[in-house]
Amino acid sequence: MAEPLTELRGTAVPILRDNIDTDTISPGSAPPWRKSATFGERGSATLADDLFANWRYTGEGRLIESFPLNEPRYQGARFLITGANFGCGSSRESAVWMLAAWGIRCVIAPSFAEIFSANCFANGLLPVVLANDLVSELADEASSAGGAFELDLAQRSLRRPSGRDITFHIPEYRRQGLMRGLDDIAQTLNDLAAIQKFVATGRRQFPWIYRRAAW
Amino acid sequence: MSAKTLFDKIWDRHVIKDLGDGFSLIFVDRHMVNDMAGRGFLTLNKRGLPVAHPEFTFAAADHTVATLEARKASAKPDDNPYAVNLRDNSRQHGFRLFDLDDPDFGIIHVISAEQALALPGTTIACGDSHTCTLGALGAIAWGLGQSDIVHILATQTSVQRKPLNMRINVTGRLAPDVSAKDLILALAAELGVAGCVGHAVEFAGDAIRRMSMDERFTICNMAVEMGARFGLISPDDVTFDYLRGRPSAPDADAWDAAVADWRSLATDATAAFDAERTLDASRVEPQVSWGINPGQTIGISATIPSLSGQLTGSALATYETAVDYSGLVPGAPIAGTPIDIVFIGSCNNARLSDLRVAARVVEGRRVASGVRAWVSPGSERVRREAEAEGLDQIFMSAGFGWGHSGCSMCAGAGDQMREIGASGQRIASTTNRNFVGRQGPGTRTHLLSPAMAAAAAIAGRIVDVRSLEAIGG
């Protein structure tokens, strides 16, 4: 269950590359397998440190100062502006947890990988899809002028630092879920009767799928 | 009734509730759980929720299991917290675990098919993006994150938005020594890694019909590498012959009814797709990825693309990152690139037929000096079957390591595999992802077929397997 998201104000960090995969956002190599002392849970400080680890640190663990996430002016950013097909590859939800732990609540890109997008909504992060040229413009604005972006989810609008508003599309089901911080599981548990009926019907109609076998 | 696609027929059968705006609550017939689901169980257990349908839930700790020498000492390794946690949860919640010492243990997508847990017409979900592999049986199979895993554990359903339908028609016939892997890599190169976003992709056409199930799994496995969450193939006699007699296949008395139903699931002749693509299989040569995503792939006779003058913005930045990371020179041929490591394994390319092809290339030859090479079979069953045919001896005589089953060097997890690949080293790999650092920090992955990987091991560099005779070794 995620914290509701209705409005958001903050600066934006641009990382303008296409096809950034979740191995890059949340590297499998060093952190999850090696570092985590507590099984299944990493503290938010560790999660934030591990975000884009291979692009933020040298092999020896030194900060690469030119990488946007390391630049002083982007510290505290709430928006990430990035390239097409963001979050492709592995289904690892830690990619979203790490972005959230670092402070990102809204990602703006020309397109998103589907599993990543679903993981965003499950954690109260908003993926905003905008046209390629517009994304580039926003990235320019974020890096040249800086300043705060403002999100108003009720209005489906994003105010740029220059003051101009952009309207974006978001599925209504997802918008409601984000604004209310809906708990999908609690919702679905209300439909248990329908689920049981589905299984009962299935056992008759497709016994080879729904019979209780001796496995 | 109007003509429908395979995907739509299965989807419509599984909708429990229309949630509006294209979203539905759909029933999950098979929930496959791996050892990365620890946080999901933590959430479930904290909320005091039971697993709603343990009889439809199956698990294997494929990601973190040791696959090489260490495995022998640790068939029940209590020092692997991921496997222990999965075992504890399987006992608490009463679902079937294929434990590390189970003769049917293996990579979860491989054993789901081997055991016939995945069947035509079913919905299958797993917290791993390569779950789309199982769509090859004529099923809706997809990967998801931890939050969605918890939802399925607690309710056996999933909230999903129905995707658009795309069909990829593969016409013609593959040339000798060109494989399903080459075909899907060529498709990824042509359509790009975002080419199928938002779509369920049905692979169709003569070239697909002629394929064995093993080859079809290799194809559907990489649907996600083109951005599709779902890849699938209409079931036919090849599918039914594959399933017959497997442990969880329909009983003899239900078999005919099941097959009749499965036949009816195939996409109707006049069904409309939202998008269609075509590829001529006869034009595909052996493929090798050069960059940092599976779409950055070229034929073995091609050169590293020179695109700096053609690209702008984020696409240019991506290309330059790839060139820089790959350490390759635009305009130079990919053939001849020296390699350090060869890995034959993964849910993409480690079934028995894959190992046979690789063994045929390797037989009577030696792995080039300075190259380290391993085989990790897709399942323990594949391992036993391969050993019964003497494939293990062929590989080991040639200097390959012969390992156990697991995600192994594909996920860069679990055992010493990851440390083998040092920064800057090149790996010829039958896996499905060449992302930055995927096989260890700084390692460079070249995706290719089992035959091409075997040839690379012998030659010590990337070569056209069809020219290996001339090269010797």
Side-chain angles (χ1 to χ4, degrees):
Chain A
M1 186 167 29
E3 205 180 305
L5 177 67
T6 50
E7 293 177 345
L8 182 69
R9 187 171 192 283
T11 55
V13 51
I15 305 178
L16 262 201
R17 292 183 218 189
D18 291 341
N19 304 315
I20 294 179
D21 56 81
T22 53
D23 275 71
T24 294
I25 302 167
S26 168
S29 282
W33 326 98
R34 188 66 56 86
K35 273 197 203 160
S36 82
T38 322
F39 171 69
E41 276 188 308
R42 265 180 291 177
S44 65
T46 315
L47 283 170
D49 282 350
D50 290 347
L51 175 68
F52 282 105
N54 290 332
W55 287 2
R56 276 166 80 195
Y57 310 102
T58 64
E60 295 76 41
R62 282 195 310 277
L63 275 188
I64 299 171
E65 287 173 14
S66 59
F67 187 64
L69 286 186
N70 293 337
E71 290 188 53
R73 59 179 170 154
Y74 295 126
Q75 302 310 305
R78 309 305 307 278
F79 295 83
L80 169 65
I81 303 173
T82 187
N85 197 30
F86 185 74
C88 62
S90 161
S91 56
R92 62 191 67 179
E93 200 162 309
S94 54
V96 174
W97 301 334
M98 285 185 185
L99 286 166
W102 196 84
I104 300 296
R105 198 78 198 273
C106 175
V107 187
I108 300 166
S111 62
F112 290 91
E114 291 167 53
I115 301 176
F116 176 83
S117 177
N119 289 344
C120 276
F121 286 112
N123 289 275
L125 270 74
L126 171 66
V128 172
V129 177
L130 294 176
N132 211 9
D133 292 350
L134 191 49
V135 171
S136 302
E137 247 182 65
L138 295 185
D140 284 347
E141 201 169 330
S143 64
S144 57
F149 286 73
E150 285 178 57
L151 167 76
D152 183 344
L153 192 50
Q155 299 299 318
R156 301 182 191 82
S157 80
L158 186 68
R159 175 160 295 180
R160 302 157 64 158
S162 58
R164 281 175 293 167
D165 283 339
I166 297 164
T167 307
F168 57 87
H169 174 78
I170 173 176
E172 189 54 18
Y173 178 83
R174 292 301 197 193
R175 192 176 71 105
Q176 292 295 335
L178 279 181
M179 291 184 61
R180 295 183 194 164
L182 285 185
D183 178 355
D184 274 351
I185 294 176
Q187 296 261 80
T188 302
L189 288 173
N190 291 327
D191 293 319
L192 274 188
I195 296 169
Q196 291 314 329
K197 191 172 155 229
F198 178 93
V199 176
T201 309
R203 285 208 175 101
R204 283 195 305 275
Q205 215 175 345
F206 310 108
W208 54 88
I209 302 175
Y210 301 104
R211 66 165 181 204
R212 186 184 292 266
W215 28 62
Chain B
M1 208 165 62
S2 63
K4 283 163 81 172
T5 64
L6 165 67
F7 184 89
D8 286 357
K9 289 181 195 182
I10 304 173
W11 179 274
D12 290 351
R13 273 185 184 184
H14 288 83
V15 172
I16 290 190
K17 190 179 183 181
D18 181 354
L19 301 171
D21 205 20
F23 288 83
S24 294
L25 184 68
I26 63 172
F27 192 79
V28 176
D29 296 333
R30 301 287 183 263
H31 186 198
M32 315 307 297
V33 183
N34 64 34
D35 41 341
M36 295 287 100
R39 183 154 162 169
F41 281 112
L42 213 62
T43 307
L44 187 82
N45 295 337
K46 259 189 208 158
R47 291 182 67 161
L49 293 167
V51 171
H53 286 276
E55 77 276 25
F56 302 143
T57 307
F58 305 88
D62 56 4
H63 276 59
T64 58
V65 64
T67 53
L68 286 180
E69 290 79 1
R71 175 72 178 278
K72 288 170 193 146
S74 59
K76 280 257 184 200
D78 291 329
D79 60 346
N80 177 345
Y82 297 89
V84 170
N85 180 270
L86 190 59
R87 191 179 305 143
D88 290 347
N89 276 297
S90 80
R91 283 180 187 148
Q92 179 184 337
H93 294 288
F95 56 82
R96 168 80 159 94
L97 170 71
F98 294 89
D99 212 341
L100 304 185
D101 58 351
D102 191 310
D104 290 327
F105 175 81
I107 303 174
I108 203 156
H109 312 313
V110 176
I111 64 175
S112 298
E114 269 180 6
Q115 298 295 316
L117 296 171
L119 293 169
T122 55
T123 50
I124 306 145
C126 175
D128 186 289
S129 58
H130 291 115
T131 308
C132 54
T133 309
L134 297 166
L137 288 163
I140 293 185
W142 73 100
L144 30 72
Q146 296 276 326
S147 298
D148 282 351
I149 289 173
V150 180
H151 192 280
I152 299 175
L153 288 170
T155 69
Q156 202 61 33
T157 64
S158 189
V159 175
Q160 293 295 325
R161 192 177 205 194
K162 192 174 173 195
L164 298 171
N165 278 286
M166 180 189 285
R167 179 161 57 192
I168 298 180
N169 299 291
V170 187
T171 60
R173 194 179 282 270
L174 284 170
D177 296 317
V178 179
S179 71
K181 178 62 160 289
D182 299 306
L183 179 66
I184 194 66
L185 281 171
L187 266 172
E190 182 155 326
L191 302 181
V193 288
C196 306
V197 169
H199 292 81
V201 173
E202 179 170 345
F203 297 95
D206 293 348
I208 302 292
R209 285 288 140 232
R210 271 194 288 272
M211 285 184 182
S212 68
M213 278 314 305
D214 282 6
E215 293 170 297
R216 293 179 184 188
F217 289 128
T218 298
I219 295 288
C220 287
N221 176 271
M222 289 187 70
V224 70
E225 308 310 334
M226 303 185 293
R229 202 169 181 183
F230 310 87
L232 62 173
I233 293 173
S234 282
D236 59 14
D237 286 330
V238 173
T239 323
F240 312 145
D241 290 345
Y242 172 88
L243 289 169
R244 193 191 305 271
R246 290 183 182 272
S248 292
D251 293 337
D253 58 353
W255 179 260
D256 289 346
V259 169
D261 179 59
W262 295 344
R263 275 192 207 288
S264 76
L265 291 171
T267 289
D268 296 327
T270 56
F273 284 80
D274 300 292
E276 299 225 35
R277 304 280 184 272
T278 300
L279 182 81
D280 179 358
S282 66
R283 292 173 48 204
V284 175
E285 63 170 335
Q287 304 284 306
V288 186
S289 74
W290 64 268
I292 55 170
N293 72 50
Q296 291 171 328
T297 291
I298 52 179
I300 185 63
S301 67
T303 55
I304 310 303
S306 307
L307 302 174
S308 287
Q310 301 165 36
L311 300 173
T312 57
S314 53
L316 178 63
T318 305
Y319 167 74
E320 287 178 338
T321 304
V323 169
D324 185 48
Y325 189 81
S326 72
L328 299 171
V329 181
I334 187 78
T337 306
I339 51 116
D340 304 289
I341 294 169
V342 173
F343 178 68
I344 297 177
S346 89
C347 57
N348 183 271
N349 250 167
R351 297 176 185 81
L352 186 59
S353 56
D354 298 320
L355 303 191
R356 283 177 182 155
V357 167
R360 227 174 7 251
V361 174
V362 162
E363 189 161 22
R365 295 182 161 119
R366 286 288 303 169
V367 171
S369 126
V371 172
R372 289 163 300 163
W374 290 269
V375 181
S376 172
S379 70
E380 289 301 301
R381 175 183 286 230
V382 167
R383 185 173 194 269
R384 283 193 305 279
E385 288 170 354
E387 287 175 356
E389 294 181 13
L391 303 188
D392 57 326
Q393 293 305 321
I394 294 174
F395 282 115
M396 287 191 286
S397 304
F400 272 81
W402 178 250
H404 283 268
S405 181
C407 298
S408 190
M409 204 171 185
C410 179
D415 62 3
Q416 69 275 34
M417 286 305 252
R418 178 155 46 82
E419 286 153 56
I420 289 164
S423 187
Q425 289 197 319
R426 281 185 201 288
I427 306 168
S429 184
T430 68
T431 54
N432 40 35
R433 285 197 173 133
N434 52 338
F435 298 146
V436 168
R438 174 81 179 179
Q439 296 185 296
T443 57
R444 296 150 169 168
T445 301
H446 295 283
L447 305 176
L448 29 59
S449 72
M452 287 286 284
I458 303 304
R461 53 203 157 85
I462 291 171
V463 292
D464 189 335
V465 62
R466 299 170 301 184
S467 66
L468 197 63
E469 290 300 337
I471 292 159

